[in-house]
Amino acid sequence: MPVPGRNRFEAGGRWLWRLSALPLLALWFVPVEAWPAGVGGAVELFWALLPGLTCTGLAFGFARSLRRGQEPLIARYIRFDERRDPAECAGYARGLTWFWAVVLAVVAVVELGAVARGVDLGMVPDALLLGLFLGEHVVRSLYFPAGGIAWPLQTLRAIVRAERARHG
């Protein structure tokens, strides 16, 4: 069934795009030695670039939601968090959306720059992002004590509910 407000091509296009991503995920399980000669290097480059490209896409998604007339991404997630008041958190949500857009853009530049220089950053960017995600929950708990302790699992549930409501 098409999503209300969208034509069938847009709704079907999203489904096809998701389906087309499955073969890319399957590439992860194919060892480099199994690829034809000369293709293994391209596959390694693809996997090296993937974290930076992912951060670029996420940064774009956060930033795009900050356009005039759009609901900031974090504000949408807060609407689906039963323990938070969206009106009370509106300014915080906009600022946090800006924060994540900038942080993810910086991490993307660092990741892609590291690939260009042949440097392996290991798990440092992932650990940094996880630390910021967890630290934000401490800040949110302090700013909005009426909602109780902000737990990461609670946030992840709100994100899943928001995305299910958006995509059906």
Side-chain angles (χ1 to χ4, degrees):
M1 181 171 166
V3 178
R6 295 193 177 130
N7 64 36
R8 269 200 274 169
F9 176 73
E10 288 176 348
R14 287 180 188 243
W15 180 80
L16 287 174
W17 172 249
R18 290 179 188 147
L19 186 63
S20 68
L22 289 176
L24 290 176
L25 293 175
L27 290 177
W28 190 25
F29 297 104
V30 178
V32 175
E33 298 80 26
W35 290 93
V39 178
V43 172
E44 286 182 18
L45 179 61
F46 170 76
W47 288 117
L49 291 172
L50 191 59
L53 295 176
T54 301
C55 283
T56 301
L58 290 171
F60 178 74
F62 276 90
R64 186 179 63 185
S65 73
L66 291 166
R67 293 180 299 181
R68 183 167 305 198
Q70 298 288 319
E71 180 180 34
L73 191 59
I74 302 292
R76 180 161 38 101
Y77 294 157
I78 287 174
R79 275 194 296 119
F80 288 88
D81 184 350
E82 65 276 353
R83 294 175 60 192
R84 303 285 169 222
D85 178 16
E88 180 186 17
C89 299
Y92 178 80
R94 178 168 282 284
L96 188 59
T97 302
W98 268 111
F99 172 80
W100 279 111
V102 170
V103 166
L104 288 164
V106 168
V107 169
V109 168
V110 170
E111 291 257 15
L112 295 172
V115 171
R117 293 183 178 263
V119 176
D120 182 18
L121 297 175
M123 297 298 290
V124 172
D126 301 320
L128 171 72
L129 292 174
L130 178 61
L132 290 172
F133 178 74
L134 296 175
E136 186 275 321
H137 287 82
V138 173
V139 171
R140 192 181 334 154
S141 296
L142 295 173
Y143 268 49
F144 305 105
I149 296 174
W151 296 101
L153 189 58
Q154 169 190 347
T155 299
L156 295 175
R157 280 195 308 260
I159 291 170
V160 168
R161 282 195 295 269
E163 293 304 319
R164 279 188 180 160
R166 181 175 176 216
H167 298 293

